[in-house]
Amino acid sequence: MNIIQATTFLLTLFYGGGFACIQHVSLRLVLWCSGYIPWNYALFLNRAAQRRLIQQIGGRYRFIHRLLLDHFANMHLS
């Protein structure tokens, strides 16, 4: 790999959305290692939607029950 290829790769990585991808994976890794989220977060959200705790609307999720929303909103993270 020569210098032009390496430079093109790095520019594409950082300006083509690669930096956002690295941030996303880093955040998921930190939250998973801290015990705040499961690694397979999409499966977790789909199971919560099947159990009617949340509602999936397109690619987003929202709480169905107002009391559950209020409970999680008032939780203090330690």
Side-chain angles (χ1 to χ4, degrees):
M1 186 190 287
N2 63 25
I3 191 75
I4 295 173
Q5 289 174 328
T7 304
T8 304
F9 174 76
L10 290 175
L11 288 174
T12 303
L13 179 68
F14 287 113
Y15 292 110
F19 189 65
C21 184
I22 291 169
Q23 286 179 324
H24 173 81
V25 172
S26 299
L27 177 62
R28 282 192 57 187
L29 186 62
V30 167
L31 291 174
W32 176 69
C33 287
S34 300
Y36 288 114
I37 66 167
W39 182 251
N40 194 343
Y41 202 58
L43 179 63
F44 169 75
L45 290 173
N46 287 335
R47 287 185 178 168
Q50 289 173 350
R51 288 162 178 79
R52 307 257 190 259
L53 296 172
I54 57 177
Q55 180 182 24
Q56 184 177 9
I57 303 170
R60 296 179 174 211
Y61 294 89
R62 72 177 198 99
F63 285 101
I64 295 173
H65 307 287
R66 184 69 186 174
L67 290 175
L68 189 61
L69 170 68
D70 291 339
H71 170 74
F72 285 122
N74 293 326
M75 283 181 63
H76 296 287
L77 299 177
S78 53

